[in-house]
Amino acid sequence: MHDSILEIMLQKYDDFTKSEKKIIDYVLDHKKNAQYINILDLSAACHVAVSTVSVFCKKLGLDGFNDFKMELAKATMPVAGVTTVGAATGEISVDDTLEEVLAKTCNVSQDALLQTYHLLERDAVRAAVDLLEHANQVICLGQGNHSIVATAAWARFSSVSPRFKTVQDAHLQTVAVSTLSENDVVLFFSYSGATRELLDIAKVVKSRKAKLILVTRFSNSPGTAYASAVLLCGSDEKPLLFGSIAAVVSQLYIVDVLFSEYLRRDYKRGEKTREFIAKALTHRFD
């Protein structure tokens, strides 16, 4: 494909339907961020059906929406400053060499981080840290692979404050949120934002008048209706693909952002606690 996807869209503009032109107009007006949007959010932003977006991609001679985003990333690479490791991108296949596996895996994680950086709304981050800062207690929760992220969040924040906790067992998670007060916060990690476990927890949190911070991929997921702050992670995961490390990487990045901003607001007290913990841990190696 000699011409970029942007040039092709402009060249064939008159050949598209009215609805498809809305997609082109949106992409041209949001070149920098459009490569990080998912198909549901793009269809909502353009007020067209998801199927219209899929047909639009096919008309461009592409395999699908992910292929479209890849071409868009290439077209905007000089502007966005996106770099890749080698030329290997896309899904790993059985015919790939080890070098291609290394490059593709690195590029997937890098893309997840870049997407998350662009998708994170600064006001949402500030609102989330406000909630963490003033909470009596914060319970970090997640299911499946995301329970790892919840544990990492607890471990990170517990180095500066005793108010952060985590619970792994699903039954005990319900017990824990059932005793929350209106000054408590739940930090929940869910890629889809639509699992039954999340929605059950969210309903209990709401009934207790506590606050929910939701880290998810989709801004229009059912769980966002219960959240006081929504933080979007940028990893693209196939619907039937479970356990994407890139999704975990993107959420861990959000944990680091929240922690750094939380610590920055009260750096002296946080560092004092961290120094005490460091001294306590040194005795374990004596």
Side-chain angles (χ1 to χ4, degrees):
M1 188 177 291
H2 299 293
D3 294 329
S4 73
I5 197 68
L6 296 174
E7 293 171 326
I8 293 175
M9 287 191 296
L10 288 172
Q11 292 168 4
K12 298 183 176 181
Y13 188 84
D14 292 334
D15 297 332
F16 291 100
T17 65
K18 184 177 179 179
S19 294
E20 291 165 347
K21 288 178 181 178
K22 289 181 180 180
I23 301 173
I24 297 176
D25 293 340
Y26 180 87
V27 170
L28 293 176
D29 288 339
H30 303 82
K31 294 177 185 177
K32 186 174 181 179
N33 295 325
Q35 61 182 295
Y36 304 110
I37 199 171
N38 61 71
I39 192 169
L40 292 175
D41 288 343
L42 179 60
S43 65
C46 299
H47 304 290
V48 300
V50 172
S51 59
T52 300
V53 179
S54 298
V55 171
F56 170 73
C57 295
K58 296 291 184 181
K59 283 188 177 181
L60 288 170
L62 304 173
D63 291 334
F65 185 67
N66 286 336
D67 196 15
F68 171 72
K69 291 210 300 181
M70 185 178 297
E71 292 301 325
L72 190 57
K74 292 178 183 178
T76 57
M77 190 174 291
V79 178
V82 179
T83 58
T84 57
V85 178
T89 58
E91 295 184 27
I92 294 173
S93 70
V94 295
D95 296 323
D96 285 340
T97 64
L98 174 59
E99 184 58 38
E100 289 173 325
V101 170
L102 290 169
K104 286 183 177 182
T105 303
C106 179
N107 289 330
V108 166
S109 293
Q110 177 180 261
D111 184 54
L113 288 172
L114 287 171
Q115 287 190 46
T116 304
Y117 170 80
H118 287 288
L119 285 171
L120 273 179
E121 294 183 0
R122 278 44 177 176
D123 287 342
V125 173
R126 294 188 188 97
V129 177
D130 285 343
L131 292 172
L132 298 177
E133 188 178 18
H134 298 106
N136 285 341
Q137 65 172 327
V138 179
I139 304 181
C140 305
L141 301 178
Q143 298 288 333
N145 269 19
H146 305 300
S147 65
I148 300 172
V149 184
T151 301
W154 163 73
R156 196 85 165 103
F157 280 97
S158 65
S159 68
V160 295
S161 172
R163 295 181 292 112
F164 289 80
K165 305 173 183 178
T166 189
V167 181
Q168 294 295 304
D169 181 80
H171 176 76
L172 293 179
Q173 287 182 355
T174 302
V175 172
V177 298
S178 296
T179 61
L180 296 177
S181 71
E182 60 183 352
N183 294 320
D184 295 328
V185 171
V186 171
L187 175 58
F188 204 106
F189 299 88
S190 172
Y191 181 85
S192 68
T195 63
R196 179 178 177 180
E197 292 84 359
L198 163 62
L199 297 179
D200 288 345
I201 290 290
K203 291 173 183 176
V204 176
V205 171
K206 182 179 180 180
S207 70
R208 300 297 301 175
K209 297 183 179 179
K211 305 297 187 297
L212 173 67
I213 300 172
L214 178 60
V215 179
T216 182
R217 178 65 181 91
F218 305 104
S219 61
N220 56 354
S221 61
T224 60
Y226 297 91
S228 298
V230 177
L231 305 174
L232 299 180
C233 60
S235 173
D236 286 325
E237 191 174 85
K238 298 292 185 182
L240 298 180
L241 180 63
F242 174 76
S244 166
I245 296 300
V248 173
V249 168
S250 65
Q251 293 186 349
L252 287 173
Y253 167 69
I254 292 177
V255 170
D256 229 10
V257 168
L258 292 175
F259 175 80
S260 297
E261 177 60 14
Y262 180 90
L263 179 61
R264 186 186 69 81
R265 293 187 181 188
D266 195 356
Y267 186 78
K268 289 184 178 180
R269 184 173 67 175
E271 278 302 287
K272 185 177 180 180
T273 303
R274 282 153 65 93
E275 288 174 9
F276 182 86
I277 292 174
K279 289 180 181 178
L281 288 174
T282 57
H283 296 301
R284 296 177 61 87
F285 301 97
D286 291 342

